[in-house]
Amino acid sequence: MCLATSDEISQSALTEKLSGRYGQPRGLAMGGHVDPAVTERTGLPLLLPFGERLVEMEAWAYADRWIGCGATRTSEGIRPVVVVAERPDPAAGGLPEAASWVDRVALVTGWDPDRARTIDWAAVEARLGTALPSDYKRLAELFGHGALDGFLQLSVPDAPFKSADIVRHTEWLAEWARVHGNRLWQPYDLFPAPGGLLKWAGSEQADQFYWLTDGPDPDKWPIVMSEEIPDSWQRFDGSTAEFIHRMLTDPHHPFSTARYFDVHWFQSYESRDADVD
């Protein structure tokens, strides 16, 4: 579906408005040249109606839809255009038996593994005073700052806001607990107390997701989570990536998004000049 736009609305204004709703877009075409790496998995359906008339196109994934904003040549000159196209399920072909949980999350969301960034984990872990789960580190490199299904927001190093930065927010929580006490996390303690809770994600509905830092091996830390109501703690004995994959695909998961979406996506909040490896 192609949407007509007013002469008074610029392409840049449309892009800014859509970015505020759907996150950072992926560039598919610029200056009349289409990215040769574009596939149906990464937004090709948005390009098909325009052929050689296409000038620019940027794309956002949202559930089973592609949202596109760009410019095309018309008899009246170059005009901005907004396009909505069907987005096939990236995981429709099934999952390889040997796929890791991180690979499964990438596949089910249609995320591009080539967009991974470099993180100085030695510096991050030294500042936190603890090692972190290996699959979480790979997720942070692969996805960066953003939200899965527009719901689960990962805390990652070097996020632009303290609340989304795993290092700065952990330090802030520890200082808050030192001053005000631990009552918000009872019956647990808060990291850096031995075996304390270390937050790795939150949700748009103020749900909180922590590792229970119990034991020397972070890959064996269980996950505990709470809703914004008293005594709502729940525990998951599995890895971070397994938790996320089950959240996306299992309607019986306590924080399932599979109850609402059949097709899944990652909404990136990264800036265009983010460090990509």
Side-chain angles (χ1 to χ4, degrees):
M1 178 172 61
C2 299
L3 306 179
T5 60
S6 166
D7 292 336
E8 300 176 357
I9 300 177
S10 68
Q11 180 189 340
S12 60
L14 285 169
T15 299
E16 182 178 357
K17 193 73 172 178
L18 290 167
S19 294
R21 180 176 179 84
Y22 299 112
Q24 192 61 237
R26 175 182 180 131
L28 305 184
M30 178 68 67
H33 299 287
V34 174
D35 181 350
V38 176
T39 66
E40 188 151 322
R41 178 184 169 91
T42 56
L44 183 61
L46 294 172
L47 308 181
L48 297 179
F50 304 106
E52 295 181 355
R53 294 181 291 118
L54 184 69
V55 178
E56 295 181 14
M57 184 63 67
E58 294 190 288
W60 297 262
Y62 181 80
D64 61 353
R65 294 288 183 268
W66 286 112
I67 313 296
C69 180
T72 183
R73 295 183 182 88
T74 71
S75 58
E76 300 174 353
I78 295 176
R79 294 289 302 272
V81 61
V82 175
V83 196
V84 180
E86 291 185 1
R87 178 175 176 250
D89 184 351
L95 296 166
E97 290 186 9
S100 69
W101 288 113
V102 174
D103 292 338
R104 290 167 184 254
V105 174
L107 182 60
V108 80
T109 57
W111 196 244
D112 184 357
D114 293 335
R115 299 179 72 175
R117 62 179 184 155
T118 299
I119 297 174
D120 186 350
W121 288 113
V124 170
E125 293 173 329
R127 184 167 168 182
L128 283 172
T130 180
L132 295 171
S134 57
D135 69 333
Y136 158 78
K137 291 192 285 188
R138 181 56 184 155
L139 287 166
E141 292 170 347
L142 182 59
F143 289 98
H145 178 42
L148 292 132
D149 278 6
F151 171 76
L152 185 76
Q153 300 176 14
L154 294 174
S155 297
V156 298
D158 302 321
F161 307 107
K162 180 191 296 182
S163 60
D165 187 303
I166 192 169
V167 176
R168 290 184 291 157
H169 192 59
T170 297
E171 293 172 340
W172 181 85
L173 282 178
E175 178 62 17
W176 195 97
R178 186 188 68 80
V179 174
H180 300 284
N182 201 52
R183 65 185 184 278
L184 295 179
W185 297 274
Q186 292 178 352
Y188 299 103
D189 291 321
L190 192 68
F191 184 85
L197 300 178
L198 200 167
K199 184 180 173 184
W200 61 270
S203 84
E204 63 171 6
Q205 297 174 352
D207 306 309
Q208 307 293 316
F209 303 87
Y210 302 86
W211 296 299
L212 184 61
T213 60
D214 186 16
D217 185 355
D219 289 337
K220 295 182 179 179
W221 289 345
I223 291 168
V224 293
M225 51 263 176
S226 69
E227 302 173 67
E228 198 179 21
I229 55 176
D231 301 321
S232 61
W233 293 104
Q234 299 183 64
R235 174 170 171 148
F236 177 82
D237 289 292
S239 74
T240 307
E242 180 184 358
F243 176 90
I244 291 173
H245 185 265
R246 294 193 185 282
M247 181 198 79
L248 296 173
T249 60
D250 181 358
H252 301 294
H253 188 285
F255 294 89
S256 173
T257 60
R259 302 172 197 161
Y260 311 104
F261 304 108
D262 295 323
V263 180
H264 306 282
W265 77 102
F266 180 73
Q267 183 173 322
S268 175
Y269 303 149
E270 297 282 359
S271 64
R272 290 180 182 274
D273 57 355
D275 179 20
V276 176
D277 186 14

